[in-house]
PDB file of all heavy atoms in Angstrom:
ATOM      1  N   SER A   1      68.567 117.337  30.693  1.00  0.00           N
ATOM      2  CA  SER A   1      69.948 117.171  30.249  1.00  0.00           C
ATOM      3  C   SER A   1      70.184 117.876  28.915  1.00  0.00           C
ATOM      4  O   SER A   1      71.256 118.464  28.696  1.00  0.00           O
ATOM      5  CB  SER A   1      70.299 115.687  30.128  1.00  0.00           C
ATOM      6  OG  SER A   1      70.256 115.074  31.391  1.00  0.00           O
ATOM      7  N   ILE A   2      69.204 117.829  28.031  1.00  0.00           N
ATOM      8  CA  ILE A   2      69.310 118.577  26.774  1.00  0.00           C
ATOM      9  C   ILE A   2      69.466 120.066  27.079  1.00  0.00           C
ATOM     10  O   ILE A   2      70.322 120.742  26.504  1.00  0.00           O
ATOM     11  CB  ILE A   2      68.094 118.317  25.864  1.00  0.00           C
ATOM     12  CG1 ILE A   2      68.146 116.898  25.308  1.00  0.00           C
ATOM     13  CG2 ILE A   2      68.050 119.332  24.714  1.00  0.00           C
ATOM     14  CD1 ILE A   2      66.916 116.486  24.522  1.00  0.00           C
ATOM     15  N   CYS A   3      68.649 120.572  28.004  1.00  0.00           N
ATOM     16  CA  CYS A   3      68.752 121.984  28.382  1.00  0.00           C
ATOM     17  C   CYS A   3      70.128 122.307  28.959  1.00  0.00           C
ATOM     18  O   CYS A   3      70.699 123.368  28.674  1.00  0.00           O
ATOM     19  CB  CYS A   3      67.668 122.347  29.392  1.00  0.00           C
ATOM     20  SG  CYS A   3      66.024 122.369  28.683  1.00  0.00           S
ATOM     21  N   LYS A   4      70.620 121.408  29.794  1.00  0.00           N
ATOM     22  CA  LYS A   4      71.952 121.620  30.358  1.00  0.00           C
ATOM     23  C   LYS A   4      73.000 121.636  29.236  1.00  0.00           C
ATOM     24  O   LYS A   4      73.934 122.432  29.252  1.00  0.00           O
ATOM     25  CB  LYS A   4      72.296 120.546  31.389  1.00  0.00           C
ATOM     26  CG  LYS A   4      71.479 120.622  32.664  1.00  0.00           C
ATOM     27  CD  LYS A   4      71.603 121.989  33.290  1.00  0.00           C
ATOM     28  CE  LYS A   4      72.154 121.937  34.668  1.00  0.00           C
ATOM     29  NZ  LYS A   4      72.259 123.276  35.262  1.00  0.00           N
ATOM     30  N   GLY A   5      72.850 120.759  28.258  1.00  0.00           N
ATOM     31  CA  GLY A   5      73.766 120.745  27.124  1.00  0.00           C
ATOM     32  C   GLY A   5      73.694 122.019  26.302  1.00  0.00           C
ATOM     33  O   GLY A   5      74.703 122.502  25.787  1.00  0.00           O
ATOM     34  N   LEU A   6      72.493 122.571  26.193  1.00  0.00           N
ATOM     35  CA  LEU A   6      72.325 123.835  25.468  1.00  0.00           C
ATOM     36  C   LEU A   6      73.058 124.981  26.156  1.00  0.00           C
ATOM     37  O   LEU A   6      73.456 125.942  25.511  1.00  0.00           O
ATOM     38  CB  LEU A   6      70.837 124.199  25.396  1.00  0.00           C
ATOM     39  CG  LEU A   6      69.967 123.357  24.496  1.00  0.00           C
ATOM     40  CD1 LEU A   6      68.507 123.668  24.740  1.00  0.00           C
ATOM     41  CD2 LEU A   6      70.342 123.595  23.050  1.00  0.00           C
ATOM     42  N   SER A   7      73.213 124.878  27.457  1.00  0.00           N
ATOM     43  CA  SER A   7      73.748 125.986  28.240  1.00  0.00           C
ATOM     44  C   SER A   7      75.269 126.062  28.237  1.00  0.00           C
ATOM     45  O   SER A   7      75.825 127.050  28.701  1.00  0.00           O
ATOM     46  CB  SER A   7      73.249 125.891  29.685  1.00  0.00           C
ATOM     47  OG  SER A   7      73.871 124.814  30.355  1.00  0.00           O
ATOM     48  N   VAL A   8      75.923 125.028  27.740  1.00  0.00           N
ATOM     49  CA  VAL A   8      77.385 125.033  27.759  1.00  0.00           C
ATOM     50  C   VAL A   8      77.930 125.397  26.384  1.00  0.00           C
ATOM     51  O   VAL A   8      77.375 124.999  25.372  1.00  0.00           O
ATOM     52  CB  VAL A   8      77.973 123.678  28.227  1.00  0.00           C
ATOM     53  CG1 VAL A   8      77.583 123.397  29.663  1.00  0.00           C
ATOM     54  CG2 VAL A   8      77.543 122.541  27.340  1.00  0.00           C
ATOM     55  N   LYS A   9      78.991 126.162  26.389  1.00  0.00           N
ATOM     56  CA  LYS A   9      79.614 126.545  25.123  1.00  0.00           C
ATOM     57  C   LYS A   9      80.357 125.354  24.514  1.00  0.00           C
ATOM     58  O   LYS A   9      80.346 125.142  23.325  1.00  0.00           O
ATOM     59  CB  LYS A   9      80.574 127.708  25.348  1.00  0.00           C
ATOM     60  CG  LYS A   9      79.892 129.017  25.662  1.00  0.00           C
ATOM     61  CD  LYS A   9      80.918 130.126  25.700  1.00  0.00           C
ATOM     62  CE  LYS A   9      80.454 131.480  26.034  1.00  0.00           C
ATOM     63  NZ  LYS A   9      79.205 131.866  26.334  1.00  0.00           N
ATOM     64  N   ARG A  10      80.981 124.578  25.368  1.00  0.00           N
ATOM     65  CA  ARG A  10      81.735 123.400  24.927  1.00  0.00           C
ATOM     66  C   ARG A  10      81.372 122.245  25.862  1.00  0.00           C
ATOM     67  O   ARG A  10      81.609 122.308  27.057  1.00  0.00           O
ATOM     68  CB  ARG A  10      83.226 123.696  24.999  1.00  0.00           C
ATOM     69  CG  ARG A  10      84.087 122.599  24.429  1.00  0.00           C
ATOM     70  CD  ARG A  10      85.547 123.056  24.315  1.00  0.00           C
ATOM     71  NE  ARG A  10      86.396 121.903  24.167  1.00  0.00           N
ATOM     72  CZ  ARG A  10      87.012 121.287  25.177  1.00  0.00           C
ATOM     73  NH1 ARG A  10      86.877 121.735  26.397  1.00  0.00           N
ATOM     74  NH2 ARG A  10      87.750 120.223  24.953  1.00  0.00           N
ATOM     75  N   CYS A  11      80.804 121.200  25.304  1.00  0.00           N
ATOM     76  CA  CYS A  11      80.380 120.051  26.101  1.00  0.00           C
ATOM     77  C   CYS A  11      81.602 119.249  26.542  1.00  0.00           C
ATOM     78  O   CYS A  11      82.430 118.848  25.733  1.00  0.00           O
ATOM     79  CB  CYS A  11      79.444 119.180  25.276  1.00  0.00           C
ATOM     80  SG  CYS A  11      78.771 117.786  26.170  1.00  0.00           S
ATOM     81  N   LYS A  12      81.684 119.031  27.855  1.00  0.00           N
ATOM     82  CA  LYS A  12      82.786 118.251  28.422  1.00  0.00           C
ATOM     83  C   LYS A  12      82.245 116.942  28.986  1.00  0.00           C
ATOM     84  O   LYS A  12      81.067 116.839  29.329  1.00  0.00           O
ATOM     85  CB  LYS A  12      83.456 119.037  29.559  1.00  0.00           C
ATOM     86  CG  LYS A  12      84.084 120.334  29.123  1.00  0.00           C
ATOM     87  CD  LYS A  12      84.667 121.041  30.329  1.00  0.00           C
ATOM     88  CE  LYS A  12      85.207 122.399  29.956  1.00  0.00           C
ATOM     89  NZ  LYS A  12      85.648 123.149  31.138  1.00  0.00           N
ATOM     90  N   LEU A  13      83.129 115.973  29.116  1.00  0.00           N
ATOM     91  CA  LEU A  13      82.762 114.696  29.717  1.00  0.00           C
ATOM     92  C   LEU A  13      82.222 114.909  31.131  1.00  0.00           C
ATOM     93  O   LEU A  13      81.264 114.245  31.544  1.00  0.00           O
ATOM     94  CB  LEU A  13      83.960 113.748  29.737  1.00  0.00           C
ATOM     95  CG  LEU A  13      83.723 112.367  30.342  1.00  0.00           C
ATOM     96  CD1 LEU A  13      82.653 111.607  29.564  1.00  0.00           C
ATOM     97  CD2 LEU A  13      85.020 111.576  30.394  1.00  0.00           C
ATOM     98  N   SER A  14      82.797 115.852  31.857  1.00  0.00           N
ATOM     99  CA  SER A  14      82.335 116.116  33.229  1.00  0.00           C
ATOM    100  C   SER A  14      80.888 116.604  33.253  1.00  0.00           C
ATOM    101  O   SER A  14      80.138 116.273  34.174  1.00  0.00           O
ATOM    102  CB  SER A  14      83.242 117.133  33.933  1.00  0.00           C
ATOM    103  OG  SER A  14      83.198 118.384  33.275  1.00  0.00           O
ATOM    104  N   HIS A  15      80.466 117.372  32.247  1.00  0.00           N
ATOM    105  CA  HIS A  15      79.072 117.815  32.170  1.00  0.00           C
ATOM    106  C   HIS A  15      78.143 116.612  31.990  1.00  0.00           C
ATOM    107  O   HIS A  15      77.112 116.496  32.657  1.00  0.00           O
ATOM    108  CB  HIS A  15      78.850 118.782  31.004  1.00  0.00           C
ATOM    109  CG  HIS A  15      79.602 120.069  31.133  1.00  0.00           C
ATOM    110  ND1 HIS A  15      80.237 120.652  30.070  1.00  0.00           N
ATOM    111  CD2 HIS A  15      79.820 120.883  32.192  1.00  0.00           C
ATOM    112  CE1 HIS A  15      80.815 121.770  30.458  1.00  0.00           C
ATOM    113  NE2 HIS A  15      80.574 121.933  31.756  1.00  0.00           N
ATOM    114  N   MET A  16      78.534 115.732  31.082  1.00  0.00           N
ATOM    115  CA  MET A  16      77.703 114.564  30.798  1.00  0.00           C
ATOM    116  C   MET A  16      77.636 113.625  32.002  1.00  0.00           C
ATOM    117  O   MET A  16      76.558 113.135  32.356  1.00  0.00           O
ATOM    118  CB  MET A  16      78.228 113.832  29.564  1.00  0.00           C
ATOM    119  CG  MET A  16      78.106 114.651  28.287  1.00  0.00           C
ATOM    120  SD  MET A  16      78.586 113.777  26.784  1.00  0.00           S
ATOM    121  CE  MET A  16      80.337 113.590  27.015  1.00  0.00           C
ATOM    122  N   LEU A  17      78.773 113.381  32.641  1.00  0.00           N
ATOM    123  CA  LEU A  17      78.793 112.485  33.800  1.00  0.00           C
ATOM    124  C   LEU A  17      78.034 113.077  34.985  1.00  0.00           C
ATOM    125  O   LEU A  17      77.359 112.344  35.720  1.00  0.00           O
ATOM    126  CB  LEU A  17      80.232 112.157  34.201  1.00  0.00           C
ATOM    127  CG  LEU A  17      81.001 111.263  33.232  1.00  0.00           C
ATOM    128  CD1 LEU A  17      82.448 111.094  33.686  1.00  0.00           C
ATOM    129  CD2 LEU A  17      80.318 109.917  33.073  1.00  0.00           C
ATOM    130  N   THR A  18      78.129 114.384  35.183  1.00  0.00           N
ATOM    131  CA  THR A  18      77.406 115.027  36.282  1.00  0.00           C
ATOM    132  C   THR A  18      75.908 114.828  36.117  1.00  0.00           C
ATOM    133  O   THR A  18      75.221 114.396  37.050  1.00  0.00           O
ATOM    134  CB  THR A  18      77.752 116.531  36.367  1.00  0.00           C
ATOM    135  OG1 THR A  18      79.148 116.666  36.631  1.00  0.00           O
ATOM    136  CG2 THR A  18      76.957 117.208  37.465  1.00  0.00           C
ATOM    137  N   CYS A  19      75.392 115.133  34.936  1.00  0.00           N
ATOM    138  CA  CYS A  19      73.957 114.932  34.700  1.00  0.00           C
ATOM    139  C   CYS A  19      73.579 113.463  34.809  1.00  0.00           C
ATOM    140  O   CYS A  19      72.592 113.112  35.460  1.00  0.00           O
ATOM    141  CB  CYS A  19      73.563 115.468  33.322  1.00  0.00           C
ATOM    142  SG  CYS A  19      73.311 117.239  33.271  1.00  0.00           S
ATOM    143  N   GLY A  20      74.366 112.604  34.186  1.00  0.00           N
ATOM    144  CA  GLY A  20      74.073 111.169  34.226  1.00  0.00           C
ATOM    145  C   GLY A  20      74.028 110.621  35.636  1.00  0.00           C
ATOM    146  O   GLY A  20      73.113 109.876  36.001  1.00  0.00           O
ATOM    147  N   LEU A  21      74.997 111.000  36.455  1.00  0.00           N
ATOM    148  CA  LEU A  21      75.043 110.490  37.825  1.00  0.00           C
ATOM    149  C   LEU A  21      73.918 111.050  38.689  1.00  0.00           C
ATOM    150  O   LEU A  21      73.246 110.285  39.402  1.00  0.00           O
ATOM    151  CB  LEU A  21      76.403 110.783  38.461  1.00  0.00           C
ATOM    152  CG  LEU A  21      77.539 109.908  37.962  1.00  0.00           C
ATOM    153  CD1 LEU A  21      78.884 110.414  38.491  1.00  0.00           C
ATOM    154  CD2 LEU A  21      77.325 108.457  38.365  1.00  0.00           C
ATOM    155  N   TYR A  22      73.706 112.355  38.668  1.00  0.00           N
ATOM    156  CA  TYR A  22      72.629 112.920  39.491  1.00  0.00           C
ATOM    157  C   TYR A  22      71.279 112.314  39.119  1.00  0.00           C
ATOM    158  O   TYR A  22      70.549 111.813  39.975  1.00  0.00           O
ATOM    159  CB  TYR A  22      72.565 114.445  39.342  1.00  0.00           C
ATOM    160  CG  TYR A  22      73.388 115.183  40.360  1.00  0.00           C
ATOM    161  CD1 TYR A  22      74.656 115.643  40.048  1.00  0.00           C
ATOM    162  CD2 TYR A  22      72.902 115.413  41.644  1.00  0.00           C
ATOM    163  CE1 TYR A  22      75.425 116.318  40.982  1.00  0.00           C
ATOM    164  CE2 TYR A  22      73.663 116.085  42.584  1.00  0.00           C
ATOM    165  CZ  TYR A  22      74.921 116.533  42.248  1.00  0.00           C
ATOM    166  OH  TYR A  22      75.678 117.200  43.178  1.00  0.00           O
ATOM    167  N   PHE A  23      70.956 112.368  37.843  1.00  0.00           N
ATOM    168  CA  PHE A  23      69.638 111.899  37.431  1.00  0.00           C
ATOM    169  C   PHE A  23      69.512 110.382  37.543  1.00  0.00           C
ATOM    170  O   PHE A  23      68.470 109.869  37.957  1.00  0.00           O
ATOM    171  CB  PHE A  23      69.315 112.380  36.018  1.00  0.00           C
ATOM    172  CG  PHE A  23      69.197 113.872  35.913  1.00  0.00           C
ATOM    173  CD1 PHE A  23      69.856 114.562  34.918  1.00  0.00           C
ATOM    174  CD2 PHE A  23      68.434 114.606  36.807  1.00  0.00           C
ATOM    175  CE1 PHE A  23      69.759 115.945  34.804  1.00  0.00           C
ATOM    176  CE2 PHE A  23      68.329 115.979  36.719  1.00  0.00           C
ATOM    177  CZ  PHE A  23      68.995 116.658  35.702  1.00  0.00           C
ATOM    178  N   GLY A  24      70.560 109.649  37.187  1.00  0.00           N
ATOM    179  CA  GLY A  24      70.517 108.190  37.282  1.00  0.00           C
ATOM    180  C   GLY A  24      70.349 107.698  38.708  1.00  0.00           C
ATOM    181  O   GLY A  24      69.543 106.808  38.981  1.00  0.00           O
ATOM    182  N   VAL A  25      71.100 108.293  39.639  1.00  0.00           N
ATOM    183  CA  VAL A  25      70.997 107.886  41.051  1.00  0.00           C
ATOM    184  C   VAL A  25      69.606 108.188  41.599  1.00  0.00           C
ATOM    185  O   VAL A  25      68.989 107.341  42.267  1.00  0.00           O
ATOM    186  CB  VAL A  25      72.102 108.557  41.902  1.00  0.00           C
ATOM    187  CG1 VAL A  25      71.818 108.421  43.382  1.00  0.00           C
ATOM    188  CG2 VAL A  25      73.461 107.965  41.561  1.00  0.00           C
ATOM    189  N   PHE A  26      69.084 109.369  41.312  1.00  0.00           N
ATOM    190  CA  PHE A  26      67.761 109.711  41.846  1.00  0.00           C
ATOM    191  C   PHE A  26      66.659 108.901  41.179  1.00  0.00           C
ATOM    192  O   PHE A  26      65.692 108.521  41.832  1.00  0.00           O
ATOM    193  CB  PHE A  26      67.498 111.213  41.733  1.00  0.00           C
ATOM    194  CG  PHE A  26      68.022 111.980  42.906  1.00  0.00           C
ATOM    195  CD1 PHE A  26      69.352 112.345  42.971  1.00  0.00           C
ATOM    196  CD2 PHE A  26      67.192 112.290  43.969  1.00  0.00           C
ATOM    197  CE1 PHE A  26      69.861 113.026  44.062  1.00  0.00           C
ATOM    198  CE2 PHE A  26      67.679 112.975  45.067  1.00  0.00           C
ATOM    199  CZ  PHE A  26      69.023 113.343  45.123  1.00  0.00           C
ATOM    200  N   GLN A  27      66.795 108.615  39.875  1.00  0.00           N
ATOM    201  CA  GLN A  27      65.779 107.792  39.207  1.00  0.00           C
ATOM    202  C   GLN A  27      65.805 106.361  39.731  1.00  0.00           C
ATOM    203  O   GLN A  27      64.808 105.665  39.656  1.00  0.00           O
ATOM    204  CB  GLN A  27      65.984 107.784  37.687  1.00  0.00           C
ATOM    205  CG  GLN A  27      65.592 109.067  37.008  1.00  0.00           C
ATOM    206  CD  GLN A  27      64.100 109.309  36.948  1.00  0.00           C
ATOM    207  OE1 GLN A  27      63.287 108.546  37.451  1.00  0.00           O
ATOM    208  NE2 GLN A  27      63.726 110.405  36.331  1.00  0.00           N
ATOM    209  N   ALA A  28      66.923 105.912  40.274  1.00  0.00           N
ATOM    210  CA  ALA A  28      66.989 104.576  40.876  1.00  0.00           C
ATOM    211  C   ALA A  28      66.512 104.605  42.325  1.00  0.00           C
ATOM    212  O   ALA A  28      65.823 103.681  42.777  1.00  0.00           O
ATOM    213  CB  ALA A  28      68.422 104.040  40.805  1.00  0.00           C
ATOM    214  N   ALA A  29      66.857 105.649  43.055  1.00  0.00           N
ATOM    215  CA  ALA A  29      66.513 105.715  44.482  1.00  0.00           C
ATOM    216  C   ALA A  29      65.021 105.957  44.714  1.00  0.00           C
ATOM    217  O   ALA A  29      64.439 105.370  45.635  1.00  0.00           O
ATOM    218  CB  ALA A  29      67.323 106.811  45.167  1.00  0.00           C
ATOM    219  N   MET A  30      64.412 106.780  43.917  1.00  0.00           N
ATOM    220  CA  MET A  30      63.006 107.123  44.158  1.00  0.00           C
ATOM    221  C   MET A  30      62.060 105.934  43.996  1.00  0.00           C
ATOM    222  O   MET A  30      61.178 105.746  44.832  1.00  0.00           O
ATOM    223  CB  MET A  30      62.576 108.291  43.277  1.00  0.00           C
ATOM    224  CG  MET A  30      63.235 109.592  43.688  1.00  0.00           C
ATOM    225  SD  MET A  30      62.823 110.084  45.367  1.00  0.00           S
ATOM    226  CE  MET A  30      62.132 111.676  45.048  1.00  0.00           C
ATOM    227  N   PRO A  31      62.194 105.083  42.969  1.00  0.00           N
ATOM    228  CA  PRO A  31      61.294 103.930  42.922  1.00  0.00           C
ATOM    229  C   PRO A  31      61.545 102.954  44.074  1.00  0.00           C
ATOM    230  O   PRO A  31      60.618 102.291  44.537  1.00  0.00           O
ATOM    231  CB  PRO A  31      61.561 103.271  41.575  1.00  0.00           C
ATOM    232  CG  PRO A  31      62.643 104.001  40.937  1.00  0.00           C
ATOM    233  CD  PRO A  31      62.983 105.193  41.758  1.00  0.00           C
ATOM    234  N   LEU A  32      62.789 102.892  44.540  1.00  0.00           N
ATOM    235  CA  LEU A  32      63.081 102.038  45.691  1.00  0.00           C
ATOM    236  C   LEU A  32      62.347 102.554  46.924  1.00  0.00           C
ATOM    237  O   LEU A  32      61.715 101.779  47.655  1.00  0.00           O
ATOM    238  CB  LEU A  32      64.589 101.986  45.949  1.00  0.00           C
ATOM    239  CG  LEU A  32      65.024 101.158  47.156  1.00  0.00           C
ATOM    240  CD1 LEU A  32      64.594  99.703  47.000  1.00  0.00           C
ATOM    241  CD2 LEU A  32      66.529 101.258  47.343  1.00  0.00           C
ATOM    242  N   ILE A  33      62.389 103.853  47.138  1.00  0.00           N
ATOM    243  CA  ILE A  33      61.655 104.453  48.269  1.00  0.00           C
ATOM    244  C   ILE A  33      60.158 104.211  48.112  1.00  0.00           C
ATOM    245  O   ILE A  33      59.476 103.814  49.058  1.00  0.00           O
ATOM    246  CB  ILE A  33      61.970 105.955  48.382  1.00  0.00           C
ATOM    247  CG1 ILE A  33      63.437 106.160  48.772  1.00  0.00           C
ATOM    248  CG2 ILE A  33      61.039 106.647  49.377  1.00  0.00           C
ATOM    249  CD1 ILE A  33      63.930 107.590  48.605  1.00  0.00           C
ATOM    250  N   GLY A  34      59.636 104.426  46.903  1.00  0.00           N
ATOM    251  CA  GLY A  34      58.211 104.176  46.644  1.00  0.00           C
ATOM    252  C   GLY A  34      57.843 102.723  46.856  1.00  0.00           C
ATOM    253  O   GLY A  34      56.787 102.408  47.412  1.00  0.00           O
ATOM    254  N   TYR A  35      58.717 101.822  46.455  1.00  0.00           N
ATOM    255  CA  TYR A  35      58.486 100.394  46.638  1.00  0.00           C
ATOM    256  C   TYR A  35      58.404 100.042  48.127  1.00  0.00           C
ATOM    257  O   TYR A  35      57.515  99.304  48.556  1.00  0.00           O
ATOM    258  CB  TYR A  35      59.611  99.607  45.970  1.00  0.00           C
ATOM    259  CG  TYR A  35      59.494  98.111  46.098  1.00  0.00           C
ATOM    260  CD1 TYR A  35      58.759  97.383  45.182  1.00  0.00           C
ATOM    261  CD2 TYR A  35      60.131  97.428  47.133  1.00  0.00           C
ATOM    262  CE1 TYR A  35      58.660  96.002  45.290  1.00  0.00           C
ATOM    263  CE2 TYR A  35      60.032  96.051  47.247  1.00  0.00           C
ATOM    264  CZ  TYR A  35      59.300  95.347  46.324  1.00  0.00           C
ATOM    265  OH  TYR A  35      59.190  93.997  46.437  1.00  0.00           O
TER     266      TYR A  35
END
């Protein structure tokens, strides 16, 4: 996410929410699958 933030000229709420949602959903789903 830091790298993604580095890549944008102007940080928008949509950039932050996109990263948060993709990574948050997968970080929640993967331990459930492993469990």
